[in-house]
């Protein structure tokens, strides 16, 4: 069940891109990307509020909402060079997790099976289960790897007496067979959870988790390159899951479970750009933006830019494939102008 338009506030699309209706396949038949809101935060274990994330991510920009965003770095316009639509929000009732995630999975699968890439605006991280599973249903269980940016492993088992929540989706995904444990790459973990029992389960699944101490010691770029090689082995595509709390709370205060000591905003944006330029991304989500805890829209602006960096990276990847070129990040901005 897909709602035509946002659940909360005024009816507008992501930065003014065209609308589509998932009940009308013709309305997105030529889509490269379909943006989908999933305003669900019934799986939060601490502070709720991420249900307002899709609205905040759609509107967080001081530039005109005119469906155009030329990237200074990549020299493409992700909103114009790709055919991007906004399908509005899946209608979610946060008191009914089973119905909500079933509806989200169906909407994501509808987009993926049309040949477009679903880009989901969350919502809490419970969404990883329906989002990645909806994509895997189209591409094949075990054929999609996961790059998971997060402060938390989200591999818990039962929380508050329930199997579903934002601390458990990665375990449920692996148990379902949608994503292989040995093709599950986590980046940015830190803090004081999970406990040894859960870590042992993760090791048994052959997950690869890059904790912040390792990232600082070895370098983020080195860790990413290693993760990319694993992600592409025996998998045809990559699902990118970005929990905004992967960033230090100084860069992303508006989130439900902030954990000090994370990535900087610059590191996250560069990582997302690199992933979407270098890898065959077949699905993506940006989750855990909780506007009630934001300050001066810092987190919403960062989340909006995560989406734009992803779209720009995908657009440049296509451009270079079509023209036989390679993006050069050292090229001066005004070179050749």
């Amino acid at each position: 069940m897909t709602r035509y338009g946002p659940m909360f506030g005024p009816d507008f699309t992501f930065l003014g891109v065209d609308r589509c209706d998932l009940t009308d396949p013709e309305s997105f038949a030529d889509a490269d990307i379909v943006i989908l809101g999933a305003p669900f935060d019934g799986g939060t274990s601490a502070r709720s509020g991420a249900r307002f994330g899709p609205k905040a991510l759609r509107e967080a920009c001081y530039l005109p909402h005119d469906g155009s965003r030329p990237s200074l770095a990549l020299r493409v316009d992700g909103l114009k060079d790709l055919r991007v639509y906004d399908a509005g929000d899946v209608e979610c009732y946060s008191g009914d997790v089973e119905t909500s995630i079933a509806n989200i999975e169906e909407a994501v699968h509808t987009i993926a099976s049309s040949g477009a890439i679903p880009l989901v605006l969350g919502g809490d991280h419970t969404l990883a289960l329906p989002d990645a599973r909806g994509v895997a249903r189209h591409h094949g269980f075990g054929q999609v790897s996961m790059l998971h940016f997060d402060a938390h492993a989200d591999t818990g088992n039962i929380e508050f007496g329930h199997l579903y929540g934002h601390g458990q989706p990665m375990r449920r995904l692996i148990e379902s067979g949608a994503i292989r444990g040995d093709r599950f790459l986590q980046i940015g973990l830190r803090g004081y959870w999970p406990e040894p029992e859960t870590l042992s389960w993760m090791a048994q699944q052959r997950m690869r988790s890059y904790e912040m101490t390792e990232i600082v010691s070895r370098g983020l770029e080195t860790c990413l390159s290693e993760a990319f090689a694993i992600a592409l082995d025996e998998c045809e595509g990559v699902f990118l899951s970005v929990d905004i709390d992967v960033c230090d709370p100084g860069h992303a205060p508006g989130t439900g479970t902030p954990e000090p000591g994370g990535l900087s905003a610059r590191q996250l944006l560069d990582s997302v750009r690199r992933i979407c330029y270098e890898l065959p991304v077949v699905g993506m989500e940006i989750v855990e933006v909780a506007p009630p805890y934001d300050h001066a829209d810092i987190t919403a602006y960062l989340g909006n830019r995560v989406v734009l960096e992803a779209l720009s990276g995908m657009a440049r990847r296509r451009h270079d494939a079509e023209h036989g070129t390679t993006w050069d990040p050292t090229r001066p901005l005004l070179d050749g102008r």
Side-chain angles (χ1 to χ4, degrees):
M1 181 191 304
T2 305
R3 185 184 182 92
Y4 189 68
M7 275 188 67
F8 304 108
D11 186 3
F12 55 88
T13 65
F14 182 83
L15 301 183
V17 301
D18 290 338
R19 302 173 184 273
C20 72
D21 180 353
L22 295 189
T23 66
D24 177 12
E26 288 300 313
S27 70
F28 59 100
D30 62 340
D32 296 307
I33 310 287
V34 175
I35 293 170
L36 180 72
F40 177 83
D41 63 7
T44 53
S45 58
R47 307 186 302 188
S48 60
R51 71 183 68 183
F52 304 113
K55 175 181 179 292
L57 291 166
R58 284 186 174 105
E59 68 184 354
C61 190
Y62 55 84
L63 296 168
H65 288 210
D66 57 1
S68 174
R69 285 298 182 275
S71 167
L72 287 176
L74 289 163
R75 301 160 197 258
V76 291
D77 188 329
L79 298 184
K80 283 188 171 296
D81 296 340
L82 300 174
R83 197 71 179 97
V84 181
Y85 291 94
D86 190 331
D89 288 349
V90 177
E91 195 163 42
C92 296
Y93 176 55
S94 285
D96 186 350
V97 61
E98 287 89 353
T99 299
S100 295
I101 63 176
N103 290 342
I104 293 164
E105 181 177 328
E106 283 306 312
V108 170
H109 180 253
T110 296
I111 295 167
S113 60
S114 77
I117 296 171
L119 199 163
V120 181
L121 311 177
D124 74 44
H125 220 158
T126 307
L127 304 178
L129 176 60
D131 291 347
R133 197 163 59 186
V135 169
R137 279 173 54 191
H138 172 64
H139 291 278
F141 275 31
Q143 297 301 306
V144 177
S145 59
M146 169 75 83
L147 284 173
H148 170 208
F149 284 74
D150 204 329
H152 311 98
D154 292 354
T155 49
N157 188 14
I158 298 174
E159 199 166 328
F160 304 127
H162 212 288
L163 290 170
Y164 301 111
H166 75 165
Q168 301 123 289
M170 307 315 175
R171 184 183 288 242
R172 301 287 93 86
L173 268 175
I174 293 171
E175 289 175 340
S176 74
I179 307 289
R180 291 169 47 173
D182 61 352
R183 296 297 179 270
F184 213 110
L185 297 309
Q186 300 183 308
I187 298 161
L189 303 190
R190 59 192 187 276
Y192 301 90
W193 183 88
E195 76 294 338
E197 180 182 357
T198 298
L199 291 175
S200 294
W201 181 88
M202 293 165 62
Q204 291 166 13
Q205 313 312 309
R206 299 172 60 198
M207 299 176 70
R208 182 62 169 96
S209 302
Y210 294 87
E211 195 265 342
M212 280 302 301
T213 305
E214 179 183 358
I215 291 172
V216 171
S217 297
R218 298 181 61 202
L220 178 59
E221 292 301 312
T222 298
C223 293
L224 285 176
S225 295
E226 183 176 280
F228 289 6
I230 299 170
L232 291 177
D233 185 22
E234 299 180 351
C235 287
E236 67 174 55
V238 174
F239 187 93
L240 173 59
S241 178
V242 178
D243 184 328
I244 205 68
D245 73 23
V246 73
C247 284
D248 188 272
H251 294 248
T255 191
T257 49
E259 183 65 50
L263 299 180
S264 69
R266 181 71 267 155
Q267 288 175 309
L268 176 59
L269 294 175
D270 286 346
S271 297
V272 169
R273 175 197 297 169
R274 184 180 169 195
I275 289 165
C276 292
Y277 176 63
E278 295 185 20
L279 304 180
V281 174
V282 294
M284 177 180 169
E285 64 184 5
I286 169 75
V287 299
E288 297 288 355
V289 173
Y293 309 103
D294 211 358
H295 172 71
D297 298 328
I298 292 171
T299 315
Y301 270 86
L302 175 57
N304 179 279
R305 270 25 184 186
V306 166
V307 174
L308 287 178
E309 287 295 337
L311 294 174
S312 299
M314 293 176 193
R316 184 69 200 212
R317 178 180 173 87
R318 173 180 290 184
H319 173 277
D320 285 356
E322 292 176 348
H323 295 87
T325 54
T326 301
W327 174 58
D328 179 6
T330 68
R331 180 183 173 192
L333 174 64
L334 302 180
D335 184 26
R337 293 180 182 272

